[in-house]
Amino acid sequence: MRPTHRRLAASAAGLVLLPAALAGCGIGGAAEDEAAKPERAPAEEAATRSRERVQAYLDAMSAKDVAAGRSQLCALLHDTFDVAATGPNGDFADHFKVPEATITDIRSGPRGQEVSVSVSVTAGKRKINRQLVFTVTRDGGDWCIAEEAPGVAPAAGATPKGAVPSPAS
């Protein structure tokens, strides 16, 4: 009877240790979950960083904080921004007010993350809504706005995905 008890004890110990041994070899659920996270993390980070950069730019535009707006742009755009930002048609022109700005969509594009925005602009008593698309990319280890371009107006009755209004100043 002694050998039978030893075999039972050895079998029980083997069954207890088997899942830990398999997980250490990469066979098992825990290792698979960890392997899947790195694939999703860069896309999630890109969307989050892009939203943060564009929202900071919109907030700076509403507050007429030229330095804060400039800091959201990639270094290659700084000289152009310095010349155009406060000009007659610049984003930071004194006669423009930005009572509302909303991020309507974020998607991957060929040159980076494309962040679609709807901006309400007033000049005197005149109010217009403009659609813009900001391209956000990595410049070295940091995220920055690489381009601002006119966007396409959403279809009538369309509800924007993930729309978040910007606080207006």
Side-chain angles (χ1 to χ4, degrees):
M1 294 271 258
R2 279 195 160 239
T4 304
H5 289 301
R6 285 186 191 150
R7 270 188 265 156
L8 283 174
S11 296
L15 290 174
V16 169
L17 297 175
L18 182 63
L22 290 177
C25 295
I27 302 172
E32 290 173 12
D33 289 344
E34 290 176 17
K37 285 182 184 177
E39 292 175 17
R40 288 190 316 242
E44 291 171 6
E45 179 186 10
T48 299
R49 299 293 181 215
S50 297
R51 177 181 291 278
E52 290 170 354
R53 284 296 180 172
V54 171
Q55 188 62 55
Y57 186 83
L58 296 173
D59 293 344
M61 201 168 43
S62 293
K64 300 293 182 210
D65 187 343
V66 176
R70 184 180 196 268
S71 70
Q72 304 311 312
L73 302 176
C74 295
L76 290 173
L77 296 180
H78 288 179
D79 291 338
T80 305
F81 176 82
D82 293 342
V83 172
T86 58
N89 293 319
D91 289 348
F92 292 81
D94 287 333
H95 60 282
F96 290 144
K97 303 294 181 223
V98 182
E100 184 179 358
T102 305
I103 294 174
T104 58
D105 191 28
I106 300 173
R107 63 183 65 197
S108 293
R111 295 178 41 208
Q113 295 292 308
E114 294 177 352
V115 182
S116 300
V117 176
S118 176
V119 179
S120 296
V121 179
T122 59
K125 294 181 180 179
R126 187 171 175 223
K127 179 180 178 181
I128 57 172
N129 290 324
R130 291 287 182 227
Q131 306 306 313
L132 300 171
V133 176
F134 292 92
T135 301
V136 181
T137 189
R138 283 190 90 133
D139 184 13
D142 203 7
W143 291 88
C144 59
I145 297 172
E147 182 180 19
E148 175 185 343
V152 178
T159 304
K161 298 177 187 173
V164 180
S166 168
S169 57

